[in-house]
Amino acid sequence: MTAALFFTRTAKPDLERIGDFIARDNPGRAVTFVDELEARCRRITDFPEAAPLRTEYRDGIRSVVYRAYVIFYSVRAGDVVVVERIVQGTRDLSELRDLL
């Protein structure tokens, strides 16, 4: 059974910021890239516990990479995937300890 998918109030703006950044150079690609990121998030729901735990950020946090971005998520009640943040992987990820 596929898990349900939710985005936090911080993850949705992350997607918007990514789209806005890409749109500066290529508005059409911004739309398709955000669609691809969302599709990658939906694929997490097939096997939500497949990604390793990232306890250096917070208990219960997992992450997957899509291109240059890291999708941080948690699994709640075994059948709900919550996307916590989507950030560029080249940034200093240690600062996320306080943001997840």
Side-chain angles (χ1 to χ4, degrees):
M1 182 168 120
T2 301
L5 178 66
F6 294 95
F7 291 82
T8 63
R9 285 185 275 174
T10 52
K12 273 294 189 187
D14 287 342
L15 277 173
E16 292 171 16
R17 278 190 293 275
I18 292 165
D20 291 345
F21 177 76
I22 296 170
R24 291 184 210 164
D25 295 323
N26 190 337
R29 180 62 181 135
V31 171
T32 60
F33 189 78
V34 169
D35 287 346
E36 290 170 16
L37 269 173
E38 289 177 333
R40 179 63 184 103
C41 291
R42 284 190 300 276
R43 284 194 308 274
I44 292 169
T45 64
D46 293 333
F47 300 100
E49 295 181 349
L53 285 168
R54 302 295 303 269
T55 56
E56 69 269 28
Y57 296 109
R58 192 181 84 202
D59 287 344
I61 289 291
R62 297 174 185 273
S63 68
V64 296
V65 173
Y66 181 76
R67 299 195 180 246
Y69 292 87
V70 182
I71 302 165
F72 289 95
Y73 71 95
S74 59
V75 181
R76 299 186 186 168
D79 60 352
V80 176
V81 170
V82 178
V83 176
E84 306 281 348
R85 295 297 307 267
I86 303 171
V87 299
Q88 189 171 24
T90 57
R91 73 186 273 185
D92 180 5
L93 298 179
S94 66
E95 71 186 34
L96 290 177
R97 284 185 215 137
D98 297 328
L99 302 176
L100 286 173

